[in-house]
Amino acid sequence: MTLISSKPAPQPEGGPPALFDRRLLAYRRDRAASEFPSYDFLHARAADDLLDRVESVTRDFETCLVLGGGGAIGRALEDRPKAREKITHLIETDLSPAMAGLSTHTAVCLDEERLPIAPQSVDLVISCLNLHWTNDIVGALIQINHTLKPDGFFAGAQLGGATLTELRQSFQKVTDEDPAPRRVSPFADTVDMAGLLSRAGFTLPVSDVDRVKARYGNSFVLMRDLRAMGETNALYERPRTPGTKSLFVKTAQAYSEAFAEEDGKVPATFEIIHFAGWAPHPDQPKPKRPGSAQASLADALGVTEHKTGDKAG
């Protein structure tokens, strides 16, 4: 394994303030790395789905750049010979040096908000549950597009807005402050990712959603798992004082009262948004010009077509 390291960018001066403190995020991911392979079930699930998409493409890829995932893509490839045969060189990256170091392939620590990758140098980019922490997702997608060779393929997965909805509601229910402190990082709503890919210059964009329900003994166990995943609150506007023991006990009680299932365990929702697109190439299929269809909708439906102004009789 070769590890190349760089530091995350500071909060930009001028312009709108950043939402996420990415230096704090890198620190927390560093702290989580030692336990991460035991708590990477979401990343492993996303990695398998992403490799399904790679396998469905009828071509091979010389160089694959992976963003995020803590080595999950490389680990998944060990049990996916078909996908492994399609990729010659795998480079796994992460904002955290320790997370990047979990890869058994070439590993690079880099900031996906400032990709230090030469234009048109990569055949395939895979983003594994990392883009929900970027402050400008369209800007990140544009940079990814620029790294791809013409007709290069991009497949990504990120956490969506329904993620941890039960925990967020429970915190809001027990706080005495109005508005409630943001103790759970917000996730983007289930936006039209295909539309965002188009804005970033990708062609043939698609997106879909995978909703996962995990079950825990209580909210304390859930929060332990989130720390071990490196997925705890990294907002600049997060509360600066630690929550009291009483707050977390009340939150656990509210969580159980509102969401506990018959066996006493509580569910936690995780929403994974998948999306994919291609870097532009002149030989790619293009949408047909409006009005160029050779068959009418009426013929397809087996009904009589009436011109504007005609009376149906």
Side-chain angles (χ1 to χ4, degrees):
M1 181 194 73
T2 302
L3 178 61
I4 305 170
S5 180
S6 63
K7 293 182 179 180
Q11 184 174 15
E13 297 181 2
L19 183 63
F20 298 113
D21 183 342
R22 289 178 58 80
R23 290 188 171 182
L24 175 64
L25 175 64
Y27 166 77
R28 289 183 172 170
R29 290 183 65 76
D30 273 340
R31 183 181 61 186
S34 62
E35 293 186 286
F36 181 74
S38 298
Y39 294 89
D40 69 344
F41 72 96
L42 284 178
H43 296 77
R45 182 185 181 106
D48 269 334
D49 287 347
L50 289 165
L51 291 177
D52 283 344
R53 287 158 171 75
V54 171
E55 288 182 359
S56 70
V57 177
T58 56
R59 56 176 282 195
D60 296 336
F61 302 96
E62 178 70 19
T63 304
C64 172
L65 178 71
V66 179
L67 304 176
I73 295 293
R75 290 191 290 276
L77 279 174
E78 294 176 5
D79 299 319
R80 304 285 295 259
K82 181 179 178 180
R84 188 169 64 245
E85 290 172 1
K86 297 176 75 69
I87 298 171
T88 305
H89 301 294
L90 185 73
I91 303 169
E92 294 192 279
T93 77
D94 201 280
L95 183 67
S96 151
M99 280 287 191
L102 295 177
S103 172
T104 56
H105 300 264
T106 299
V108 180
C109 174
L110 56 75
D111 185 349
E112 53 268 76
E113 291 191 337
R114 302 185 304 169
L115 279 181
I117 308 298
Q120 298 187 4
S121 61
V122 177
D123 303 280
L124 168 66
V125 175
I126 298 176
S127 169
C128 186
L129 297 188
N130 68 308
L131 291 181
H132 56 277
W133 288 115
T134 57
N135 288 298
D136 177 8
I137 188 169
V138 174
L141 292 173
I142 290 171
Q143 292 184 69
I144 291 169
N145 195 351
H146 287 170
T147 71
L148 285 167
K149 296 176 182 178
D151 206 32
F153 184 54
F154 169 55
Q158 72 171 39
L159 294 178
T163 298
L164 299 177
T165 181
E166 300 92 349
L167 181 60
R168 187 177 294 107
Q169 291 177 49
S170 300
F171 268 127
Q172 291 174 341
K173 185 174 182 180
V174 302
T175 184
D176 294 328
E177 299 179 47
D178 187 21
R182 303 178 78 174
R183 295 193 176 274
V184 181
S185 288
F187 299 97
D189 290 335
T190 308
V191 294
D192 179 10
M193 283 303 301
L196 293 185
L197 288 171
S198 292
R199 285 177 56 191
F202 286 95
T203 61
L204 309 174
V206 295
S207 66
D208 57 78
V209 177
D210 176 25
R211 290 184 176 87
V212 183
K213 184 180 80 170
R215 295 183 353 117
Y216 294 90
N218 52 57
S219 63
F220 290 103
V221 181
L222 166 60
M223 287 185 278
R224 179 207 63 192
D225 278 21
L226 293 174
R227 285 193 297 272
M229 294 178 198
E231 292 289 336
T232 50
N233 191 352
L235 286 167
Y236 273 111
E237 298 300 324
R238 66 191 180 278
R240 297 295 172 163
T241 55
T244 63
K245 180 179 179 181
S246 174
L247 170 67
F248 290 109
V249 169
K250 290 179 180 178
T251 299
Q253 291 172 341
Y255 202 132
S256 180
E257 289 170 1
F259 301 107
E261 298 178 348
E262 289 185 2
D263 60 359
K265 292 188 175 182
V266 296
T269 298
F270 296 94
E271 181 179 69
I272 303 175
I273 306 174
H274 283 273
F275 41 94
W278 295 84
H281 188 277
D283 294 337
Q284 288 171 346
K286 294 179 174 58
K288 292 185 178 294
R289 178 176 53 83
S292 63
Q294 299 299 310
S296 70
L297 178 61
D299 291 339
L301 297 176
V303 299
T304 302
E305 181 178 9
H306 299 282
K307 303 296 183 183
T308 302
D310 289 352
K311 293 183 179 179

